[in-house]
């Protein structure tokens, strides 16, 4: 839970830092006209409205990030489901939270736009002028292009993250990493099995210094660990 909260805080801090940079770039690309000038009172009022929209965006981002990470974990299990292997280990929620967070931050823009009219009410035109003042007239078009690019990038990252899995048979272990590199090992090539102090968390190392951490994989059964220990001839190190 603390790991998830830490990731959310880092992501939101990054958004808060990058937003002024993006706005400055947009304004340089699309200068503001004289008719977009606002009074100091209007600017202060719109800043409060913008803060409200930002809070709503972060709420949507939190919900969609958690939902996306869970959905990616389920999809990964479905994609790699197979009756040909004794055990199939796929990325769990913790492993997929980073790509899920990226998806959540991107997708949160969509519901925000849907509720923006309701939240602003009669101030929509004033808010449009305020945004033109900050980001230029073509900012909406630029944001649409940025959203499309981020959706594409998020989709590619999520797809690669879901490809990571481990297949275990009676005498062989097959590992497919994030780069889609496929490696196969016999049980005798296991160098050590370390228990990491929590249920289902083990670090399995091989003779070529490759290893996989079951902390970020699901499901991990005691029967599987017992099979690895028995066939490799190594006891679990605690």
């Amino acid at each position: 839970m603390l790991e998830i909260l830490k990731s959310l805080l880092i992501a939101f801090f990054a958004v808060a830092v990058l937003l002024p940079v993006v706005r400055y770039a947009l304004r340089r690309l699309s200068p503001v006209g004289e008719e977009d000038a606002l009074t100091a009172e209007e600017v202060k009022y719109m800043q409060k409205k913008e803060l409200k929209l930002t809070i709503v965006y972060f709420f949507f981002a939190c919900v969609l990030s958690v939902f996306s990470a869970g959905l990616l974990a389920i999809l990964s299990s479905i994609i790699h489901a197979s009756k040909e292997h004794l055990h199939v280990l796929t990325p769990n929620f913790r492993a997929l939270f980073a790509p899920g967070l990226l998806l959540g931050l991107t997708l949160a823009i969509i519901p925000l736009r849907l509720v923006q009219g309701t939240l602003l009410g009669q101030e929509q035109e004033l808010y449009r002028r305020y945004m033109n003042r900050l980001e230029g007239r073509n900012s909406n078009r630029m944001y649409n292009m940025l959203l499309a690019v981020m959706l594409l990038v998020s989709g590619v990252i999520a797809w690669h993250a879901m490809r990571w899995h481990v297949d275990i048979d009676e005498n062989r272990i097959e590992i497919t990493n994030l780069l889609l590199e496929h490696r196969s090992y016999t049980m005798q090539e296991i160098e050590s099995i370390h228990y990491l102090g929590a249920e289902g968390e083990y670090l399995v190392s091989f003779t070529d210094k490759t290893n996989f951490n079951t902390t970020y994989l699901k499901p991990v059964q005691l029967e599987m660990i017992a099979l690895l220990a028995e066939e490799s001839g190594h006891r679990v190190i605690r």
Side-chain angles (χ1 to χ4, degrees), residues 113 139-149:
R113 287 187 172 184
S139 61
N140 192 51
R141 183 187 306 171
M142 296 292 185
Y143 275 127
N144 289 336
M145 294 175 60
L146 182 60
L147 176 61
V149 171

Side-chain angles (χ1 to χ4, degrees), residues 3-4 21 26 105 107 135 155 187 217-218 223:
E3 184 178 344
I4 293 174
V21 177
L26 290 174
L105 291 171
L107 294 174
E135 301 171 352
M187 293 294 185
L217 293 167
K218 67 175 181 79
E223 292 81 357

